[in-house]
């Protein structure tokens, strides 16, 4: 029936040839890009407390012996009190960056400056050229860093959160270290998760506007896995919309 045809066209389509895999597909061979606007007035707490902006996890067991090579995958972006950098963390089994991850300097006097800024973090790696992670702030390249590990595709039951941790972080303990830990103090807009590393040109051309296309009915931007505009249902009353 016509009704069934409409319903079917709105469901997720699977077609690897057109990048229509999982919305949270993660493979550093093709890379990933996380874009968002962030307005931060203050940090949640002192003492180097880390606030999670985006967290992606493959449901792998988080244990103290993950360095032994357990099947565990993670990608997250965070910031911490007193830092002017965003931290990129990625792990695939025993392959990971040392410490909390890679600090990418924003070039701002403070992330918590009370102003809206657009951030775009890209990461990609290969067995021959190594890895590269970059940070664009307000459409301009702010910093970059290289890493040597070539990561494989991360598979499993993928889960993700915006504004807090999706699960316990490696080495963390206690009830506060689980899902919902590390809450972000701030406002986020136009969040995008891309299943591919975007180029500087693509970021610079699209950071101030919305992105068109859809993974189900349009072949444009099929590498866009998650897109939260956060502006559906605007009432027009400022006190409500805020």
């Amino acid at each position: 029936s016509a009704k069934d045809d409409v319903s079917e066209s709105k469901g997720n389509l699977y077609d690897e040839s057109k990048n229509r895999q999982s919305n949270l597909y993660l493979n550093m061979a093709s890379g990933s890009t996380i874009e968002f606007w962030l307005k931060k007035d203050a940090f949640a707490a002192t003492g180097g407390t880390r606030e999670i902006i985006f967290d992606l996890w493959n449901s792998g067991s988080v244990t103290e012996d993950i360095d032994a090579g357990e099947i565990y995958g993670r990608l997250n972006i965070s910031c911490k009190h007193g830092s002017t950098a965003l931290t990129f963390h990625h792990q695939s089994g025993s392959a990971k960056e040392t410490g909390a991850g890679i600090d990418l300097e924003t070039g701002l006097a403070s992330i918590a400056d009370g102003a809206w800024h657009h951030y775009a973090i890209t990461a990609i790696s290969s067995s021959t050229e190594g890895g590269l992670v970059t940070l664009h702030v307000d459409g301009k390249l702010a910093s970059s860093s290289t890493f040597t590990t070539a990561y494989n595709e991360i598979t499993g039951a993928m889960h993700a959160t915006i504004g807090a941790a999706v699960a316990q972080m490696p080495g963390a303990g206690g009830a506060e270290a689980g899902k919902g830990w590390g809450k972000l103090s701030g406002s986020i807009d136009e969040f995008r998760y891309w299943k591919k590393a975007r180029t500087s040109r693509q970021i610079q051309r699209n950071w101030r506007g919305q992105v068109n296309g859809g993974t189900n009915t349009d072949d444009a931007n099929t590498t866009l896995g998650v897109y939260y505009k956060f502006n559906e249902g605007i009432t027009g009353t400022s006190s409500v919309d805020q």
Side-chain angles (χ1 to χ4, degrees):
S1 66
K3 181 179 180 180
D4 291 336
D5 291 342
V6 171
S7 299
E8 184 177 353
S9 69
K10 299 302 181 182
N12 271 13
L13 303 178
Y14 188 87
D15 186 345
E16 289 187 359
S17 67
K18 295 185 177 181
N19 298 303
R20 290 186 172 118
Q21 310 103 327
S22 164
N23 294 76
L24 296 174
Y25 178 80
L26 179 57
N27 188 342
M28 281 299 150
S30 56
S32 294
T33 302
I34 301 97
E35 291 187 84
F36 53 91
W37 284 85
L38 173 65
K39 178 180 180 291
K40 191 166 176 56
D41 296 322
F43 286 94
T46 59
T49 302
R50 190 166 295 280
E51 300 178 34
I52 305 296
I53 299 169
F54 174 69
D55 197 10
L56 173 59
W57 168 57
N58 75 333
S59 302
S61 175
V62 182
T63 65
E64 295 294 338
D65 61 349
I66 53 176
D67 288 332
E70 286 193 12
I71 301 174
Y72 166 86
R74 198 70 170 263
L75 181 150
N76 61 39
I77 307 296
S78 64
C79 60
K80 64 180 179 179
H81 186 274
S83 176
T84 57
L86 296 182
T87 301
F88 167 85
H89 169 78
H90 182 278
Q91 183 164 347
S92 176
S94 61
K96 64 175 182 177
E97 301 85 31
T98 58
I102 298 174
D103 287 336
L104 298 166
E105 285 295 333
T106 62
L108 302 173
S110 174
I111 296 174
D113 61 3
W116 282 101
H117 294 287
H118 181 269
Y119 302 92
I121 299 95
T122 70
I124 190 169
S125 71
S126 70
S127 58
T128 56
E129 298 179 3
L132 176 67
V133 56
T134 69
L135 169 65
H136 287 72
V137 179
D138 296 334
K140 297 180 180 179
L141 180 64
S143 58
S144 63
S145 180
T146 59
F147 53 96
T148 57
T149 306
Y151 299 113
N152 297 320
E153 177 185 351
I154 291 179
T155 59
M158 309 298 281
H159 298 270
T161 48
I162 299 173
V166 68
Q168 178 182 335
M169 288 294 291
E176 74 281 359
K179 186 176 183 178
W181 176 85
K183 287 183 174 62
L184 173 70
S185 175
S187 302
I188 290 180
D189 199 10
E190 282 288 311
F191 178 89
R192 305 167 189 165
Y193 174 77
W194 297 86
K195 300 177 288 184
K196 186 177 182 180
R198 302 275 282 174
T199 66
S200 290
R201 178 180 175 85
Q202 289 172 323
I203 293 170
Q204 291 165 359
R205 294 183 65 180
N206 295 282
W207 71 279
R208 290 186 63 90
Q210 297 184 6
V211 176
N212 296 320
T215 58
N216 296 338
T217 60
D218 195 318
D219 287 343
N221 294 327
T222 56
T223 57
L224 181 58
V226 178
Y227 189 7
Y228 285 113
K229 297 182 180 181
F230 294 122
N231 62 353
E232 286 84 353
I234 291 175
T235 67
T237 302
S238 296
S239 60
V240 176
D241 293 335
Q242 287 177 351

